[in-house]
Amino acid sequence: MNKFEERLAKLDELFTAQPFMVDENIGYADCAFPATIELADILLPLFGRELKLGPNMTAWRAAVLANPVVKSVTDESRAATLEWMNSGGG
């Protein structure tokens, strides 16, 4: 396991999905990571890496993206990032 994979594994340990970071309700702690993970999905392959989320983060991500507001924002962010990259910005 390389350092990148070790760090992802360590992060997965912190995501003890309940199903959200703090409890059964979505909260502030859940707001920052969805867009960051979407960016990682897009950008890591450009650096020869793959985002392999552990079981805790996978369960958390599914729970967060089941929220229609979070899903719409992350979808919009992904589309804008891809558009920017395809326009020569990336």
Side-chain angles (χ1 to χ4, degrees):
M1 181 181 290
N2 63 40
K3 288 242 184 233
F4 178 73
E5 292 167 339
E6 287 175 13
R7 289 180 183 133
L8 277 178
K10 186 70 168 172
L11 187 59
D12 188 67
E13 291 174 17
L14 300 174
F15 277 76
T16 53
Q18 304 174 6
F20 300 105
M21 286 182 158
V22 177
D23 59 27
E24 68 278 351
N25 299 302
I26 195 166
Y28 292 122
D30 301 294
C31 292
F33 289 104
T36 302
I37 291 174
E38 290 295 319
L39 283 173
D41 276 341
I42 295 168
L43 297 176
L44 284 174
L46 300 174
F47 298 100
R49 307 265 182 167
E50 181 183 354
L51 184 64
K52 296 179 186 175
L53 300 178
N56 292 333
M57 288 184 73
T58 299
W60 166 82
R61 187 180 193 190
V64 169
L65 292 178
N67 181 295
V69 174
V70 174
K71 178 83 168 101
S72 71
V73 170
T74 55
D75 286 350
E76 185 177 326
S77 175
R78 175 179 278 276
T81 300
L82 291 171
E83 181 181 334
W84 173 76
M85 290 174 68
N86 291 329
S87 72

